[in-house]
Amino acid sequence: MKLSVVCAVLLYLALVRAAPQPEVKWCLKSEEELKKCNKLGSLGCVLKKGTRECIEAVAKGEADAITLDGGDIYIAGLKPHNLHPIIAEHYGSEQTCYYAVAVVKKGSNLELTQLLGKKSCHTGLGKTAGWNIPIGTLINKKQIAWGGIDDKPLENAVAEFFSASCVPGASHPSLCKLCKNKCQRSQEEPYYDYDGAFLCLKETDADVAFVKHLTALGEKDNYELLCKDGGRKPVDEYKTCNLAQVPAHAVVSRFDKDLADRIFEVLETLKDKGLFSSEGFGAKNLLFKDSTTKLQKLPDLTISYIYLGEQYWNAIHSLRRESTASDSSSKIKWCTVGKAQASKCDTWSLTIADEDGNTRLECESGNTVQDCIKKILLNQADAIAVDGGEVYTAGKCGLVPAVVEQYDEDKCKSASGESSSYYAVAVVRKNSGVTWNNLQQKKSCHTGVGRTAGWIIPIGLLHKTYKNCDFSKFFSGSCAPGSDPESDLCKVCKGGEAGANKCKASNDEPYYGYGGAFRCLAEGAGDVAFVKHTTVKEYTDGHGPEWAKNFKSSDFQFICPGGSADIKHHENCNLANVPAHAVITRPEKRAEIVSFLKEQDAKFGHSGTDSSFRIFTSDGDQKSLFKESTKCLQEVPEKQTYQGFLGDAYLDAINSLHECPKSKSELEETCTARTCPTA
């Protein structure tokens, strides 16, 4: 290459590196904000009429970011905007989140379900703790009957529920009946805001005040809180007796990692240059709340539902109905992973369709189970059957187990309701010389990263022994679908045609799941497969799909820390007894999912009345949406949490594994990093 060409290339690279990054365009809602933005100097300043116009501008790319409160974060996250929180405000020693609570006089014997006809005090119309959360909660619990704005104005519905109220800013006479001045949404009304609503409760014959958790702490001997799920508690027990947690304001933007990183970098350079001060501009809380002390970068997968939390999101959702039709569709949207599952779901949907083609089941598709969990969070899907590790992740994100698979036919007939379980096992070829104690530098086959039998149990046990968190180096090569395709954890994966979908956490990777991990071993790609105790039987001796027809169960055995055993003796040689797979959903959809699946199990289950279709079997290019060993589906007790479902031993295994950095899935990291964490 000529010297002149080399010089030209070097000059071009130098110019590219020296080129300034495109400015971050901030959306502004007032002249005061515009003045502050211009003075900061490092931001592009885009002035719009208001918050809604700014949300639209960011969605269209006319602006890049804006700081919003919870209600507006909800709006920004909906279609067609699809914005998401990228940076949260932090308020130093102040609590980043607060609790919205319902305060009553001690000895009133009221509960949240007994407020019909009572008198209420609110901080103000449209305010979070005093209106959005309590009214949304009462609508969501079907206490306040309201079908949407074409049914009647929301104020009318609330006025019909309470006999009298003080809601500063309201226009309905009944909602201003208890107010002291003119019901203004300002300090001119003595019963406005937190202290005002509490004063309303003290000075009038009102029954309840909706405020934040700090409001009544100074007079805790005379007041109590109404708990969302029933009963009352002292006012200092707000963490376990509240209507919702409310998170900090957050910056929202489009889904673009590079843009989010650039926005955070620019804001970090401005934090000591007046970014959090509105002094001298004629208004407060410009661009950011003046009480902000620093900014917290949120994980890339953060969506509005995760950031706001299930309680807050659902409360706001209930206030946004735009039609009398219920916003909870009578259809069940089942999420599938991979083409084979999608095909099975489509057949199921067609099978239960009526003569006009109407069906209760719609099929949604996700690239991975984690993707399906996100879709369920966003109301884009309703349910999916997952293993224990995914129940754990879903639980961290606010979802609940609704029904559990039962693998023992006798227990299906039993009235005890005893839950099913299975054994996590390690399978090797007979006479291979592979034992539990010499697994290091062997080749391993896993059902998928984060899954119970294929990852959490075996890797957790190995970590306890070897104390090495670099799992990619323990084996000489692995297939652990869901790992970085470039890592050794994907080294022995098969992939599709021309290597497409290699190591993908779906059935598009032939070595994914129980059957896939066993196939990885049986075809010689791996030395050990981590699966469930029934897998070998299901894929040998003529059972299973075409690839499995020639494999014999007698050619395989189990290994465990205590030795080895024939595949019939899983109770004596296993890695752990673990909870069965379960169907997860949103809490408000749980009852509908349970009812639908009970009906479908009775008709198309293992012993169903209609043999034309079976929901627990795989046929040809159709992969079952449940474990094929399922004999029936059983309801998970309504009050049982995901922790109670999984059990202490399983939680201990996960917690041990989580001692290692980067051992959590990206979605779990996102859900546990929220500014208002749940249990």
Side-chain angles (χ1 to χ4, degrees):
M1 185 181 291
K2 292 183 179 180
L3 181 60
S4 60
V5 175
V6 173
C7 290
V9 171
L10 292 174
L11 177 61
Y12 171 76
L13 292 174
L15 288 172
V16 169
R17 287 174 183 159
Q21 288 285 342
E23 67 179 6
V24 169
K25 296 175 290 184
W26 206 270
C27 199
L28 313 161
K29 301 171 290 181
S30 67
E31 291 292 339
E32 291 84 358
E33 283 197 331
L34 180 61
K35 289 176 185 176
K36 178 176 176 178
C37 181
N38 285 328
K39 187 171 181 181
L40 288 169
S42 297
L43 296 171
C45 306
V46 179
L47 181 62
K48 294 291 180 180
K49 289 182 179 180
T51 300
R52 188 63 65 95
E53 289 79 7
C54 272
I55 290 172
E56 292 173 358
V58 175
K60 293 175 183 176
E62 297 170 1
D64 296 320
I66 183 176
T67 308
L68 300 176
D69 72 1
D72 291 324
I73 290 170
Y74 170 90
I75 294 294
L78 299 177
K79 294 179 179 178
H81 314 302
N82 298 318
L83 305 183
H84 71 127
I86 59 171
I87 300 165
E89 293 181 345
H90 199 280
Y91 310 124
S93 59
E94 297 179 32
Q95 298 197 23
T96 306
C97 303
Y98 66 87
Y99 296 87
V101 297
V103 180
V104 295
K105 294 162 185 170
K106 188 172 282 189
S108 64
N109 296 321
L110 273 178
E111 293 200 8
L112 195 66
T113 56
Q114 299 170 337
L115 294 182
L116 178 64
K118 300 298 188 288
K119 298 178 180 179
S120 60
C121 303
H122 306 252
T123 58
L125 185 71
K127 298 199 72 172
T128 298
W131 183 263
N132 288 352
I133 297 299
I135 301 306
T137 299
L138 291 170
I139 291 172
N140 207 32
K141 284 184 166 291
K142 295 181 170 53
Q143 295 294 302
I144 295 178
W146 185 59
I149 58 175
D150 64 344
D151 171 22
K152 67 183 74 170
L154 177 58
E155 284 191 39
N156 289 13
V158 177
E160 291 169 7
F161 181 78
F162 294 111
S163 62
S165 304
C166 179
V167 185
S171 57
H172 195 289
S174 180
L175 297 183
C176 291
K177 202 170 185 179
L178 295 183
C179 290
K180 199 166 189 176
N181 193 6
K182 296 180 180 178
C183 199
Q184 308 99 317
R185 196 176 184 268
S186 73
Q187 300 300 337
E188 293 181 48
E189 167 55 61
Y191 294 161
Y192 170 71
D193 214 353
Y194 302 115
D195 292 337
F198 187 46
L199 186 64
C200 166
L201 179 64
K202 291 198 289 185
E203 292 186 347
T204 72
D205 61 347
D207 300 291
V208 61
F210 299 108
V211 292
K212 67 177 179 179
H213 70 281
L214 299 172
T215 309
L217 280 179
E219 299 184 48
K220 63 181 183 179
D221 293 337
N222 300 318
Y223 297 91
E224 293 178 310
L225 302 179
L226 299 184
C227 304
K228 185 176 180 180
D229 295 324
R232 300 182 310 282
K233 285 188 178 181
V235 294
D236 54 2
E237 294 188 27
Y238 52 82
K239 288 186 178 180
T240 56
C241 184
N242 61 75
L243 303 184
Q245 268 188 312
V246 181
H249 290 198
V251 177
V252 302
S253 187
R254 301 178 294 281
F255 277 90
D256 183 332
K257 184 181 185 306
D258 292 338
L259 176 59
D261 290 342
R262 194 165 78 246
I263 291 170
F264 185 70
E265 288 168 8
V266 170
L267 294 178
E268 283 289 281
T269 66
L270 295 173
K271 65 181 181 181
D272 297 322
K273 298 178 181 179
L275 185 64
F276 308 138
S277 173
S278 302
E279 190 174 348
F281 296 106
K284 294 181 178 180
N285 303 317
L286 302 175
L287 277 73
F288 292 89
K289 285 181 71 174
D290 295 337
S291 56
T292 305
T293 57
K294 65 178 181 179
L295 299 174
Q296 175 189 345
K297 181 89 162 51
L298 299 172
D300 296 332
L301 287 181
T302 304
I303 54 178
S304 58
Y305 183 99
I306 291 174
Y307 183 75
L308 296 175
E310 174 253 329
Q311 290 182 338
Y312 189 19
W313 198 92
N314 282 334
I316 299 174
H317 186 61
S318 295
L319 295 181
R320 302 289 178 176
R321 291 184 187 163
E322 296 180 353
S323 68
T324 50
S326 171
D327 60 336
S328 176
S329 169
S330 60
K331 291 188 176 181
I332 303 294
K333 293 174 285 187
W334 200 275
C335 199
T336 66
V337 178
K339 295 177 182 177
Q341 273 200 351
S343 178
K344 180 74 174 183
C345 186
D346 287 340
T347 301
W348 185 10
S349 177
L350 288 171
T351 301
I352 64 175
D354 62 21
E355 293 179 357
D356 297 324
N358 299 313
T359 179
R360 283 195 65 196
L361 183 71
E362 288 186 354
C363 304
E364 297 288 336
S365 60
N367 292 323
T368 64
V369 172
Q370 302 267 311
D371 192 34
C372 278
I373 292 174
K374 284 190 288 180
K375 284 179 176 285
I376 295 171
L377 292 173
L378 285 171
N379 226 341
Q380 296 169 356
D382 295 318
I384 184 175
V386 297
D387 92 329
E390 290 148 347
V391 169
Y392 180 85
T393 298
K396 285 291 185 181
C397 294
L399 303 183
V400 296
V403 301
V404 59
E405 297 174 349
Q406 175 58 262
Y407 313 124
D408 186 330
E409 196 163 1
D410 290 337
K411 290 180 180 177
C412 288
K413 302 169 185 175
S414 169
S416 68
E418 184 181 349
S419 293
S420 190
S421 63
Y422 63 95
Y423 291 91
V425 297
V427 184
V428 299
R429 289 182 292 276
K430 272 187 182 176
N431 305 317
S432 65
V434 178
T435 70
W436 183 261
N437 295 323
N438 68 9
L439 281 179
Q440 202 157 7
Q441 293 308 300
K442 299 295 190 293
K443 290 177 289 184
S444 61
C445 306
H446 307 259
T447 58
V449 170
R451 294 190 58 172
T452 299
W455 186 262
I456 291 171
I457 298 301
I459 297 300
L461 287 173
L462 292 171
H463 172 253
K464 281 185 178 180
T465 303
Y466 295 96
K467 301 298 180 184
N468 185 349
C469 288
D470 189 354
F471 310 127
S472 67
K473 301 303 180 189
F474 182 84
F475 298 104
S476 61
S478 304
C479 182
S483 301
D484 179 356
E486 301 301 318
S487 78
D488 286 347
L489 289 172
C490 293
K491 192 174 180 179
V492 303
C493 287
K494 191 180 185 79
E497 292 183 14
N501 299 313
K502 184 174 182 180
C503 208
K504 184 179 177 181
S506 81
N507 290 302
D508 294 333
E509 162 56 64
Y511 290 168
Y512 170 73
Y514 297 112
F518 176 69
R519 182 178 182 180
C520 167
L521 168 70
E523 292 183 346
D527 301 307
V528 60
F530 300 110
V531 291
K532 62 185 172 83
H533 70 277
T534 59
T535 301
V536 177
K537 292 180 182 177
E538 292 168 358
Y539 291 91
T540 56
D541 302 330
H543 300 117
E546 194 60 38
W547 63 261
K549 298 297 185 185
N550 295 325
F551 294 116
K552 297 179 180 178
S553 60
S554 57
D555 292 335
F556 301 92
Q557 65 180 27
F558 295 150
I559 60 170
C560 49
S564 62
D566 185 89
I567 62 166
K568 297 177 183 178
H569 300 142
H570 54 269
E571 292 185 3
N572 300 320
C573 185
N574 61 74
L575 306 184
N577 186 238
V578 296
H581 288 202
V583 174
I584 55 169
T585 187
R586 296 181 304 282
E588 75 276 10
K589 198 77 174 177
R590 179 196 169 279
E592 191 177 344
I593 295 293
V594 170
S595 174
F596 173 74
L597 288 178
K598 280 184 176 179
E599 171 193 306
Q600 295 299 298
D601 187 7
K603 190 171 184 180
F604 300 118
H606 179 72
S607 303
T609 57
D610 189 337
S611 61
S612 65
F613 180 75
R614 287 287 180 243
I615 55 176
F616 303 139
T617 60
S618 297
D619 308 291
D621 62 349
Q622 296 188 345
K623 176 72 175 175
S624 177
L625 306 174
F626 303 88
K627 280 176 65 175
E628 294 177 49
S629 53
T630 304
K631 303 303 180 188
C632 68
L633 298 172
Q634 295 175 314
E635 180 178 358
V636 175
E638 185 176 1
K639 298 294 184 182
Q640 189 172 62
T641 63
Y642 75 93
Q643 297 102 319
F645 174 80
L646 294 173
D648 291 340
Y650 191 84
L651 293 175
D652 287 345
I654 292 180
N655 291 333
S656 173
L657 192 58
H658 284 178
E659 291 174 9
C660 292
K662 298 182 179 179
S663 61
K664 297 179 182 179
S665 70
E666 191 176 4
L667 184 57
E668 185 187 337
E669 289 278 13
T670 299
C671 290
T672 53
R674 59 172 58 156
T675 57
C676 291
T678 55

